[in-house]
Amino acid sequence: MKVQINTDKNIDGHARLEAYFSAEIEKSLNRFEDKITRVELHFGDENGEKFGLHDKKCVIEVRPVKLQPITVTEHADTLEKAFSGALAKVKKSLTSTFEKIKEY
């Protein structure tokens, strides 16, 4: 499973950020590892320099083997909160998707 992290011009995508989020993705989605080819994270700050509530955005796109990509989006006050919310959504979506496949 390959993890790719993208940031917009308002987010500083330094190595510590990439290492932390990559490790969290790999740990959280470990049970789906053989069913996923790639995970893409997109971080953004919709207001840029201006202050705003829920202006940090995290989009997680998961590419399962032989299935359409699954994409979730979460907005929050911080990148970490947006990431946590999006990660919870994608885990729930992957669980239900693979359970439905198992039933058939």
Side-chain angles (χ1 to χ4, degrees):
M1 169 174 57
K2 181 181 176 190
V3 178
Q4 180 179 345
I5 298 176
N6 304 303
T7 60
D8 70 4
K9 63 180 179 164
N10 299 314
I11 304 291
D12 182 24
H14 49 79
R16 186 185 70 76
L17 178 131
E18 290 188 17
Y20 171 74
F21 290 121
S22 292
E24 287 296 312
I25 283 287
E26 289 173 6
K27 181 173 68 173
S28 297
L29 301 182
N30 188 29
R31 67 183 180 146
F32 303 113
E33 187 174 26
D34 59 334
K35 300 173 184 172
I36 295 174
T37 58
R38 185 171 72 201
V39 178
E40 290 187 31
L41 292 140
H42 302 274
F43 291 105
D45 185 347
E46 295 184 341
N47 290 342
E49 297 293 320
K50 296 182 256 175
F51 175 76
L53 295 175
H54 303 293
D55 66 336
K56 307 293 189 281
K57 178 173 74 169
C58 177
V59 177
I60 299 178
E61 181 179 322
V62 177
R63 298 188 182 241
V65 177
K66 298 180 183 177
L67 295 173
Q68 292 294 317
I70 296 170
T71 305
V72 298
T73 303
E74 182 73 16
H75 290 83
D77 296 334
T78 65
L79 286 180
E80 290 79 10
K81 288 180 184 176
F83 172 75
S84 295
L87 186 58
K89 286 181 182 180
V90 83
K91 282 173 31 179
K92 184 176 180 180
S93 182
L94 285 169
T95 300
S96 66
T97 298
F98 291 128
E99 283 178 358
K100 286 178 186 174
I101 291 172
K102 198 184 301 183
E103 290 175 5
Y104 293 103

